[in-house]
Amino acid sequence: MAEGERIKTLPLISLITINYNQAVVTCDMLESTRQLTYPNFEIIVVDNGSVENPTERIRQGNYPNVTVVVSPDNLGFSGGNNLGVRYAKGDYLFFLNNDTIVTPDLLEKLVEPFLRDATIGVTCPKIRYHDQPNVIQYAGYRPLNPYTGRTWSIGLMEPDKGQHDQPGPTPFAHGAAMMVSRAVLERAGSLDDSFFLYYEELDWSARIRRAGFQIYYQAEALIYHRESMSVGKMNAMKVYYHVRNRLWFMRRNVAGWQLLVFYVYYFGVAIPKALIQYTIRWQPAYLKSVKDAIIWNLKHSSKQSVSVPSPMAMTA
């Protein structure tokens, strides 16, 4: 079989990434994709209303198979990725943060579990920190604690000595790098625009598992992540979405007495603790973020679908 014919028989992978005022960072990631050895993929860069349109800079980089989709507004992580899905032709969609660096055999390793097990709907690689390249950020997730709304990444901040090299099912995907099959989009839908930022992949993971799919940690695949480059380490926006979406996620995915216990914990312990810290440090913007996050939840029913309208986009 000729090489061109062989490539056509391989599943097409659509790599979707979001740029927001970080064209240099995005181009660093695109530069790393030159080393990918999987031959059948496309790249879709969604610009989320950046001050400067990155299209020309990306075009000058002459990266292969790249489409730039420009949104005039910031649609958030969920909305931006959903916009990218509209342009994706792939059998599998790989949602990848722009502040990551890929490794050569990443795509082969991520697609392999799908080809041997039809119940697998999502695969995620091992993630290490870019500035500490032997330290783990993600090697799967632990189950959600339904009373606190918390989950923890397995291996977080541990030196990688091979202790988390066993692949297998995991409760949640990691939003920095997750490959999803078309079947998931058809049966479980896509990311929910209402989250905008944070907790969206946990909510999606819960829906994906309810639809009958497994989420799979593929230990043989690896990326490096420059964490929190888009929104910074801590700011009022981050406080707002963490508070709002933790509550929103729990209201949508936990019920009965477990949700009641969570309410007691969240409003009796977690929120008062945060308010005391922000008051002692006198961070009024953070205090306002907490108030606004709670008010938002009071105004929205967990049964309703909250969507952010998607504007028309331009492709270059």
Side-chain angles (χ1 to χ4, degrees):
M1 182 185 295
E3 181 64 14
E5 301 266 337
R6 185 186 72 84
I7 290 173
K8 289 179 182 178
T9 65
L10 295 172
L12 175 63
I13 296 173
S14 297
L15 189 160
I16 300 173
T17 194
I18 296 173
N19 177 74
Y20 178 62
N21 294 323
Q22 288 185 317
V24 173
V25 173
T26 299
C27 286
D28 285 346
M29 185 276 290
L30 293 175
E31 189 65 35
S32 76
T33 65
R34 295 188 194 278
Q35 65 183 316
L36 290 171
T37 53
Y38 189 85
N40 196 22
F41 69 94
E42 63 175 0
I43 300 175
I44 299 164
V45 178
V46 177
D47 184 69
N48 242 351
S50 296
V51 174
E52 180 182 346
N53 187 326
T55 303
E56 190 56 35
R57 180 188 287 268
I58 291 171
R59 183 181 288 124
Q60 288 173 357
N62 196 29
Y63 307 109
N65 307 320
V66 175
T67 297
V68 181
V69 180
V70 178
S71 167
D73 300 311
N74 184 356
L75 303 177
F77 181 84
S78 304
N81 277 306
N82 287 339
L83 180 57
V85 168
R86 292 197 213 165
Y87 292 83
K89 305 181 185 73
D91 306 291
Y92 299 95
L93 286 72
F94 184 32
F95 299 92
L96 183 67
N97 274 21
N98 72 318
D99 57 354
T100 57
I101 299 295
V102 304
T103 52
D105 63 353
L106 177 66
L107 299 184
E108 290 96 331
K109 296 297 186 183
L110 287 177
V111 82
E112 188 273 332
F114 294 107
L115 304 181
R116 58 178 167 76
D117 187 345
T119 69
I120 292 175
V122 184
T123 59
C124 290
K126 178 187 289 182
I127 303 175
R128 294 187 198 153
Y129 290 102
H130 182 263
D131 59 349
Q132 301 178 77
N134 198 45
V135 176
I136 297 171
Q137 181 182 16
Y138 171 86
Y141 264 118
R142 302 190 188 283
L144 178 80
N145 183 325
Y147 308 114
T148 65
R150 292 286 194 189
T151 181
W152 291 269
S153 172
I154 296 170
L156 182 65
M157 297 305 297
E158 294 178 14
D160 191 355
K161 299 179 180 178
Q163 70 272 37
H164 299 298
D165 282 355
Q166 181 62 40
T170 187
F172 299 103
H174 196 292
M178 49 187 178
M179 185 176 287
V180 179
S181 70
R182 279 280 177 188
V184 161
L185 295 174
E186 293 164 1
R187 283 169 49 184
S190 59
L191 289 155
D192 194 295
D193 287 355
S194 67
F195 283 88
F196 192 81
L197 194 65
Y198 304 123
Y199 277 86
E200 61 281 294
E201 78 270 30
L202 301 186
D203 178 78
W204 199 22
S205 295
R207 282 190 285 121
I208 288 168
R209 285 188 284 108
R210 286 196 293 267
F213 292 101
Q214 292 187 71
I215 297 165
Y216 192 85
Y217 162 61
Q218 173 58 300
E220 296 177 4
L222 175 66
I223 66 160
Y224 297 94
H225 187 203
R226 303 168 172 178
E227 192 185 17
S228 295
M229 291 198 70
S230 294
V231 296
K233 295 295 181 183
M234 182 55 70
N235 55 49
M237 181 181 74
K238 195 168 185 177
V239 170
Y240 171 76
Y241 281 110
H242 269 298
V243 173
R244 194 198 84 165
N245 289 348
R246 184 176 172 191
L247 182 55
W248 184 232
F249 168 81
M250 292 297 286
R251 292 173 60 209
R252 289 161 58 97
N253 294 284
V254 178
W257 62 272
Q258 289 183 328
L259 182 59
L260 180 60
V261 172
F262 167 74
Y263 283 151
V264 171
Y265 164 78
Y266 199 53
F267 291 106
V269 178
I271 293 297
K273 179 181 177 182
L275 293 175
I276 290 169
Q277 289 177 342
Y278 300 152
T279 300
I280 290 173
R281 298 169 186 166
W282 192 236
Q283 296 170 306
Y286 290 12
L287 292 170
K288 183 178 185 301
S289 292
V290 173
K291 180 195 73 172
D292 291 346
I294 294 171
I295 289 174
W296 186 94
N297 271 276
L298 291 173
K299 291 181 176 179
H300 292 88
S301 166
S302 61
K303 304 299 182 185
Q304 74 185 92
S305 177
V306 181
S307 297
V308 178
S310 297
M312 294 297 292
M314 300 173 291
T315 311

PDB file of all heavy atoms in Angstrom, residues 62-83:
ATOM      1  N   ASN A  62       4.158  29.027   9.299  1.00  0.00           N
ATOM      2  CA  ASN A  62       4.076  27.956   8.315  1.00  0.00           C
ATOM      3  C   ASN A  62       3.894  26.585   8.979  1.00  0.00           C
ATOM      4  O   ASN A  62       4.544  25.611   8.619  1.00  0.00           O
ATOM      5  CB  ASN A  62       5.324  27.942   7.424  1.00  0.00           C
ATOM      6  CG  ASN A  62       5.110  27.113   6.163  1.00  0.00           C
ATOM      7  OD1 ASN A  62       3.996  26.986   5.669  1.00  0.00           O
ATOM      8  ND2 ASN A  62       6.190  26.535   5.651  1.00  0.00           N
ATOM      9  N   TYR A  63       2.994  26.540   9.968  1.00  0.00           N
ATOM     10  CA  TYR A  63       2.710  25.273  10.635  1.00  0.00           C
ATOM     11  C   TYR A  63       1.776  24.456   9.753  1.00  0.00           C
ATOM     12  O   TYR A  63       0.873  24.995   9.112  1.00  0.00           O
ATOM     13  CB  TYR A  63       2.071  25.525  12.000  1.00  0.00           C
ATOM     14  CG  TYR A  63       2.886  26.463  12.849  1.00  0.00           C
ATOM     15  CD1 TYR A  63       2.445  27.757  13.105  1.00  0.00           C
ATOM     16  CD2 TYR A  63       4.104  26.059  13.383  1.00  0.00           C
ATOM     17  CE1 TYR A  63       3.198  28.626  13.878  1.00  0.00           C
ATOM     18  CE2 TYR A  63       4.868  26.927  14.154  1.00  0.00           C
ATOM     19  CZ  TYR A  63       4.412  28.212  14.397  1.00  0.00           C
ATOM     20  OH  TYR A  63       5.162  29.072  15.143  1.00  0.00           O
ATOM     21  N   PRO A  64       1.953  23.149   9.712  1.00  0.00           N
ATOM     22  CA  PRO A  64       1.152  22.327   8.795  1.00  0.00           C
ATOM     23  C   PRO A  64      -0.283  22.134   9.264  1.00  0.00           C
ATOM     24  O   PRO A  64      -0.555  22.009  10.465  1.00  0.00           O
ATOM     25  CB  PRO A  64       1.907  20.994   8.799  1.00  0.00           C
ATOM     26  CG  PRO A  64       2.605  20.949  10.117  1.00  0.00           C
ATOM     27  CD  PRO A  64       2.973  22.372  10.431  1.00  0.00           C
ATOM     28  N   ASN A  65      -1.203  22.143   8.317  1.00  0.00           N
ATOM     29  CA  ASN A  65      -2.602  21.746   8.544  1.00  0.00           C
ATOM     30  C   ASN A  65      -3.304  22.568   9.614  1.00  0.00           C
ATOM     31  O   ASN A  65      -4.085  22.031  10.399  1.00  0.00           O
ATOM     32  CB  ASN A  65      -2.675  20.262   8.929  1.00  0.00           C
ATOM     33  CG  ASN A  65      -1.972  19.364   7.936  1.00  0.00           C
ATOM     34  OD1 ASN A  65      -2.066  19.583   6.728  1.00  0.00           O
ATOM     35  ND2 ASN A  65      -1.261  18.377   8.425  1.00  0.00           N
ATOM     36  N   VAL A  66      -3.042  23.879   9.662  1.00  0.00           N
ATOM     37  CA  VAL A  66      -3.625  24.725  10.698  1.00  0.00           C
ATOM     38  C   VAL A  66      -4.727  25.610  10.123  1.00  0.00           C
ATOM     39  O   VAL A  66      -4.546  26.268   9.103  1.00  0.00           O
ATOM     40  CB  VAL A  66      -2.557  25.618  11.370  1.00  0.00           C
ATOM     41  CG1 VAL A  66      -3.208  26.579  12.367  1.00  0.00           C
ATOM     42  CG2 VAL A  66      -1.528  24.751  12.092  1.00  0.00           C
ATOM     43  N   THR A  67      -5.878  25.623  10.802  1.00  0.00           N
ATOM     44  CA  THR A  67      -6.961  26.545  10.509  1.00  0.00           C
ATOM     45  C   THR A  67      -7.131  27.455  11.713  1.00  0.00           C
ATOM     46  O   THR A  67      -7.186  26.975  12.850  1.00  0.00           O
ATOM     47  CB  THR A  67      -8.283  25.800  10.257  1.00  0.00           C
ATOM     48  OG1 THR A  67      -8.142  24.975   9.106  1.00  0.00           O
ATOM     49  CG2 THR A  67      -9.435  26.776  10.033  1.00  0.00           C
ATOM     50  N   VAL A  68      -7.191  28.756  11.495  1.00  0.00           N
ATOM     51  CA  VAL A  68      -7.414  29.718  12.571  1.00  0.00           C
ATOM     52  C   VAL A  68      -8.854  30.206  12.498  1.00  0.00           C
ATOM     53  O   VAL A  68      -9.297  30.692  11.457  1.00  0.00           O
ATOM     54  CB  VAL A  68      -6.444  30.913  12.489  1.00  0.00           C
ATOM     55  CG1 VAL A  68      -6.694  31.875  13.655  1.00  0.00           C
ATOM     56  CG2 VAL A  68      -4.998  30.429  12.512  1.00  0.00           C
ATOM     57  N   VAL A  69      -9.584  30.064  13.584  1.00  0.00           N
ATOM     58  CA  VAL A  69     -10.969  30.524  13.685  1.00  0.00           C
ATOM     59  C   VAL A  69     -10.991  31.682  14.662  1.00  0.00           C
ATOM     60  O   VAL A  69     -10.590  31.527  15.815  1.00  0.00           O
ATOM     61  CB  VAL A  69     -11.903  29.395  14.163  1.00  0.00           C
ATOM     62  CG1 VAL A  69     -13.342  29.901  14.271  1.00  0.00           C
ATOM     63  CG2 VAL A  69     -11.815  28.189  13.241  1.00  0.00           C
ATOM     64  N   VAL A  70     -11.444  32.843  14.212  1.00  0.00           N
ATOM     65  CA  VAL A  70     -11.391  34.056  15.034  1.00  0.00           C
ATOM     66  C   VAL A  70     -12.785  34.397  15.544  1.00  0.00           C
ATOM     67  O   VAL A  70     -13.708  34.629  14.759  1.00  0.00           O
ATOM     68  CB  VAL A  70     -10.812  35.241  14.237  1.00  0.00           C
ATOM     69  CG1 VAL A  70     -10.801  36.509  15.093  1.00  0.00           C
ATOM     70  CG2 VAL A  70      -9.401  34.907  13.752  1.00  0.00           C
ATOM     71  N   SER A  71     -12.930  34.430  16.852  1.00  0.00           N
ATOM     72  CA  SER A  71     -14.173  34.876  17.475  1.00  0.00           C
ATOM     73  C   SER A  71     -13.985  36.312  17.948  1.00  0.00           C
ATOM     74  O   SER A  71     -12.964  36.619  18.570  1.00  0.00           O
ATOM     75  CB  SER A  71     -14.524  33.993  18.673  1.00  0.00           C
ATOM     76  OG  SER A  71     -15.546  34.591  19.447  1.00  0.00           O
ATOM     77  N   PRO A  72     -14.934  37.201  17.699  1.00  0.00           N
ATOM     78  CA  PRO A  72     -14.793  38.582  18.174  1.00  0.00           C
ATOM     79  C   PRO A  72     -14.934  38.713  19.684  1.00  0.00           C
ATOM     80  O   PRO A  72     -14.569  39.730  20.255  1.00  0.00           O
ATOM     81  CB  PRO A  72     -15.926  39.322  17.452  1.00  0.00           C
ATOM     82  CG  PRO A  72     -16.918  38.265  17.121  1.00  0.00           C
ATOM     83  CD  PRO A  72     -16.146  37.015  16.882  1.00  0.00           C
ATOM     84  N   ASP A  73     -15.459  37.666  20.338  1.00  0.00           N
ATOM     85  CA  ASP A  73     -15.670  37.707  21.791  1.00  0.00           C
ATOM     86  C   ASP A  73     -14.943  36.558  22.472  1.00  0.00           C
ATOM     87  O   ASP A  73     -14.659  35.527  21.852  1.00  0.00           O
ATOM     88  CB  ASP A  73     -17.160  37.613  22.122  1.00  0.00           C
ATOM     89  CG  ASP A  73     -17.957  38.752  21.512  1.00  0.00           C
ATOM     90  OD1 ASP A  73     -17.534  39.902  21.682  1.00  0.00           O
ATOM     91  OD2 ASP A  73     -18.984  38.480  20.855  1.00  0.00           O
ATOM     92  N   ASN A  74     -14.676  36.730  23.752  1.00  0.00           N
ATOM     93  CA  ASN A  74     -14.091  35.657  24.559  1.00  0.00           C
ATOM     94  C   ASN A  74     -15.213  34.718  24.982  1.00  0.00           C
ATOM     95  O   ASN A  74     -16.068  35.080  25.792  1.00  0.00           O
ATOM     96  CB  ASN A  74     -13.383  36.243  25.782  1.00  0.00           C
ATOM     97  CG  ASN A  74     -12.679  35.170  26.606  1.00  0.00           C
ATOM     98  OD1 ASN A  74     -12.781  33.981  26.312  1.00  0.00           O
ATOM     99  ND2 ASN A  74     -11.970  35.590  27.628  1.00  0.00           N
ATOM    100  N   LEU A  75     -15.210  33.504  24.453  1.00  0.00           N
ATOM    101  CA  LEU A  75     -16.256  32.533  24.740  1.00  0.00           C
ATOM    102  C   LEU A  75     -15.903  31.615  25.892  1.00  0.00           C
ATOM    103  O   LEU A  75     -16.669  30.703  26.218  1.00  0.00           O
ATOM    104  CB  LEU A  75     -16.534  31.686  23.487  1.00  0.00           C
ATOM    105  CG  LEU A  75     -16.922  32.450  22.221  1.00  0.00           C
ATOM    106  CD1 LEU A  75     -17.081  31.473  21.060  1.00  0.00           C
ATOM    107  CD2 LEU A  75     -18.201  33.239  22.445  1.00  0.00           C
ATOM    108  N   GLY A  76     -14.732  31.835  26.516  1.00  0.00           N
ATOM    109  CA  GLY A  76     -14.308  30.959  27.587  1.00  0.00           C
ATOM    110  C   GLY A  76     -13.767  29.646  27.056  1.00  0.00           C
ATOM    111  O   GLY A  76     -13.733  29.384  25.854  1.00  0.00           O
ATOM    112  N   PHE A  77     -13.334  28.795  27.988  1.00  0.00           N
ATOM    113  CA  PHE A  77     -12.765  27.500  27.608  1.00  0.00           C
ATOM    114  C   PHE A  77     -13.814  26.631  26.922  1.00  0.00           C
ATOM    115  O   PHE A  77     -13.574  26.044  25.871  1.00  0.00           O
ATOM    116  CB  PHE A  77     -12.216  26.792  28.851  1.00  0.00           C
ATOM    117  CG  PHE A  77     -11.588  25.462  28.584  1.00  0.00           C
ATOM    118  CD1 PHE A  77     -10.269  25.372  28.170  1.00  0.00           C
ATOM    119  CD2 PHE A  77     -12.311  24.282  28.746  1.00  0.00           C
ATOM    120  CE1 PHE A  77      -9.675  24.131  27.920  1.00  0.00           C
ATOM    121  CE2 PHE A  77     -11.737  23.048  28.497  1.00  0.00           C
ATOM    122  CZ  PHE A  77     -10.415  22.968  28.083  1.00  0.00           C
ATOM    123  N   SER A  78     -15.007  26.556  27.521  1.00  0.00           N
ATOM    124  CA  SER A  78     -16.060  25.705  26.956  1.00  0.00           C
ATOM    125  C   SER A  78     -16.508  26.214  25.599  1.00  0.00           C
ATOM    126  O   SER A  78     -16.529  25.467  24.610  1.00  0.00           O
ATOM    127  CB  SER A  78     -17.259  25.652  27.906  1.00  0.00           C
ATOM    128  OG  SER A  78     -16.889  25.217  29.185  1.00  0.00           O
ATOM    129  N   GLY A  79     -16.898  27.492  25.531  1.00  0.00           N
ATOM    130  CA  GLY A  79     -17.416  28.039  24.289  1.00  0.00           C
ATOM    131  C   GLY A  79     -16.387  28.056  23.178  1.00  0.00           C
ATOM    132  O   GLY A  79     -16.703  27.799  22.007  1.00  0.00           O
ATOM    133  N   GLY A  80     -15.132  28.364  23.523  1.00  0.00           N
ATOM    134  CA  GLY A  80     -14.079  28.375  22.520  1.00  0.00           C
ATOM    135  C   GLY A  80     -13.840  27.003  21.918  1.00  0.00           C
ATOM    136  O   GLY A  80     -13.720  26.850  20.692  1.00  0.00           O
ATOM    137  N   ASN A  81     -13.792  25.990  22.771  1.00  0.00           N
ATOM    138  CA  ASN A  81     -13.611  24.629  22.256  1.00  0.00           C
ATOM    139  C   ASN A  81     -14.817  24.180  21.444  1.00  0.00           C
ATOM    140  O   ASN A  81     -14.672  23.506  20.418  1.00  0.00           O
ATOM    141  CB  ASN A  81     -13.356  23.659  23.418  1.00  0.00           C
ATOM    142  CG  ASN A  81     -11.902  23.642  23.846  1.00  0.00           C
ATOM    143  OD1 ASN A  81     -11.011  23.422  23.038  1.00  0.00           O
ATOM    144  ND2 ASN A  81     -11.659  23.883  25.120  1.00  0.00           N
ATOM    145  N   ASN A  82     -16.018  24.550  21.880  1.00  0.00           N
ATOM    146  CA  ASN A  82     -17.210  24.181  21.119  1.00  0.00           C
ATOM    147  C   ASN A  82     -17.227  24.839  19.742  1.00  0.00           C
ATOM    148  O   ASN A  82     -17.702  24.257  18.764  1.00  0.00           O
ATOM    149  CB  ASN A  82     -18.465  24.543  21.908  1.00  0.00           C
ATOM    150  CG  ASN A  82     -18.699  23.620  23.076  1.00  0.00           C
ATOM    151  OD1 ASN A  82     -18.191  22.496  23.107  1.00  0.00           O
ATOM    152  ND2 ASN A  82     -19.454  24.080  24.061  1.00  0.00           N
ATOM    153  N   LEU A  83     -16.709  26.072  19.673  1.00  0.00           N
ATOM    154  CA  LEU A  83     -16.590  26.724  18.372  1.00  0.00           C
ATOM    155  C   LEU A  83     -15.615  25.949  17.488  1.00  0.00           C
ATOM    156  O   LEU A  83     -15.862  25.742  16.291  1.00  0.00           O
ATOM    157  CB  LEU A  83     -16.127  28.169  18.556  1.00  0.00           C
ATOM    158  CG  LEU A  83     -15.949  29.010  17.282  1.00  0.00           C
ATOM    159  CD1 LEU A  83     -17.237  29.064  16.468  1.00  0.00           C
ATOM    160  CD2 LEU A  83     -15.476  30.412  17.637  1.00  0.00           C
TER     161      LEU A  83
END
